[in-house]
Amino acid sequence: MDPTTVKQQQYDTWRAVASGWKTWAPVMTRLSAPVTAKMIEGLRPGQRVLDLASGVGDPAIAAARRVAPGGSVLGIDQVEDMLSFAREEARAAGVSNLEFRCADAERVDVPPASYDHVTMRFGLMFMPDPVACLTHLRGALKSGGSIHVAVWQGPDVNPWAAIPVSVLRRHVEVPTPPPEAPGLFAFADRTRLEAVCRTAGFAAIHTEAVEVVMVDFATGDEYLRFLCDLAGPIALLLKQVSEASRARVDAEIVREVSAFGGGRPLLPGRVWVLSATRP
Ligand SMILES: C[S@@+](CC[C@H](N)C(=O)[O-])C[C@H]1O[C@@H](n2cnc3c(N)ncnc32)[C@H](O)[C@@H]1O
């Protein structure tokens, strides 16, 4: 698929769930806190940070707190509806050392060699050309500056996404893209993630596995709402289910996630957090 089509699909996918991300922002912030903590642990007061695929502002807002006083964050996303909420969130939290700009992460126009850190949480896997994207971002970093990227590991360790997709496969046609095509699990393979970073010119590459409780709900209904409101690519598949089958599909998803969670939707997730340096 050509890059323009991928980007348009990404735009449509995430724009459709922007209001859901707003609704669930506090839950997502809490569930993904271990990933955020790992990504921003090296940030220091006074530093400049560029955050890509910022969504509704996490981890950009956390990064802005960490680099205060004296530092600042520029957050970038291609969906303005996500960013307008991110701005509201930052204002409400009293965080003023950050700015959000609507732009394509692969072509963001910033002065070269001007940032101490680049962060990108759950974004790299959706880029049509991740090497070009990272090469461009490397150019934005000062020499010795670092990038911190979080991506999902494979479906085998992310049942919060794998279970609904396997149920959906029984009811609608779920495309099986080539393993390296943009998508949730495009960087499940740590070797590929590190190779892409190396090819983009980064050094001192270090990857850690971070575990999260990705889903922790009392009821199946809550989990279904979470999926439909937030999980862009899965939400799209759910929309393809016919009205006649929808109740059955929902019931199967709830039954299988509850069985996995020991009686309720309680599901782990595993993430790679990679850090690397611009030589
Ligand atoms: C899964 S969300 C992650 C949001 C946030 N970083 C987080 O971890 O909560 C993915 C985000 O990537 C953005 N995105 C996808 N492709 C992009 C591109 N080419 N340029 C900028 N943003 C992009 C989407 O609009 C969406 O907000």
Side-chain angles (χ1 to χ4, degrees):
M1 198 184 289
D2 76 279
T4 313
T5 311
V6 171
K7 279 189 195 165
Q8 185 61 44
Q9 278 188 354
Q10 287 299 324
Y11 176 82
D12 294 343
T13 300
W14 297 108
R15 187 169 180 280
V17 290
S19 65
W21 276 73
K22 177 174 170 168
T23 308
W24 292 94
V27 174
M28 272 301 284
T29 298
R30 176 169 53 79
L31 295 173
S32 51
V35 178
T36 307
K38 180 52 66 188
M39 290 178 76
I40 68 171
E41 69 186 5
L43 277 52
R44 299 283 174 264
Q47 294 185 321
R48 294 187 72 196
V49 179
L50 179 62
D51 180 61
L52 282 310
S54 293
V56 293
D58 192 16
I61 295 172
R65 285 198 177 102
R66 186 113 185 155
V67 296
S72 62
V73 175
L74 172 61
I76 303 287
D77 200 281
Q78 63 172 357
V79 176
E80 179 58 35
D81 294 2
M82 293 270 192
L83 295 180
S84 54
F85 180 64
R87 290 187 196 102
E88 272 173 37
E89 276 287 278
R91 253 195 312 275
V95 175
S96 58
N97 59 334
L98 90 171
E99 181 198 329
F100 290 104
R101 194 186 296 168
C102 192
D104 178 354
E106 289 191 336
R107 295 198 189 142
V108 57
D109 186 15
V110 290
S114 51
Y115 288 91
D116 299 287
H117 298 276
V118 166
T119 52
M120 194 177 201
R121 193 178 83 178
F122 304 138
L124 186 65
M125 58 273 223
F126 301 118
M127 299 299 141
D129 187 344
V131 170
C133 179
L134 290 180
T135 305
H136 184 65
L137 298 177
R138 177 174 53 79
L141 279 169
K142 299 173 184 171
S143 175
S146 303
I147 189 163
H148 313 275
V149 173
V151 292
W152 293 109
Q153 295 188 30
D156 50 326
V157 287
N158 283 295
W160 64 271
I163 293 175
V165 171
S166 75
V167 171
L168 280 158
R169 272 185 202 287
R170 303 201 287 262
H171 298 272
V172 291
E173 193 168 323
V174 178
T176 308
E180 296 186 356
L184 213 49
F185 299 121
F187 284 104
D189 177 1
R190 169 188 183 154
T191 312
R192 177 181 183 231
L193 175 64
E194 293 182 347
V196 162
C197 252
R198 208 169 295 115
T199 309
F202 284 96
I205 297 169
H206 174 78
T207 311
E208 280 188 43
V210 175
E211 288 189 29
V212 289
V213 174
M214 190 51 200
V215 161
D216 183 1
F217 295 120
T219 68
D221 278 354
E222 264 184 301
Y223 170 68
L224 285 172
R225 269 208 307 279
F226 172 85
L227 269 190
C228 295
D229 285 354
L230 273 186
I234 300 174
L236 277 188
L237 291 173
L238 279 162
K239 280 193 187 145
Q240 288 170 27
V241 176
S242 70
E243 227 173 282
S245 310
R246 185 57 194 264
R248 188 149 53 95
V249 171
D250 285 356
E252 283 177 34
I253 292 175
V254 168
R255 190 173 62 240
E256 294 194 19
V257 296
S258 301
F260 189 102
R264 71 184 179 93
L266 177 64
L267 304 167
R270 272 177 80 98
V271 176
W272 295 124
V273 178
L274 172 147
S275 294
T277 304
R278 175 181 181 167

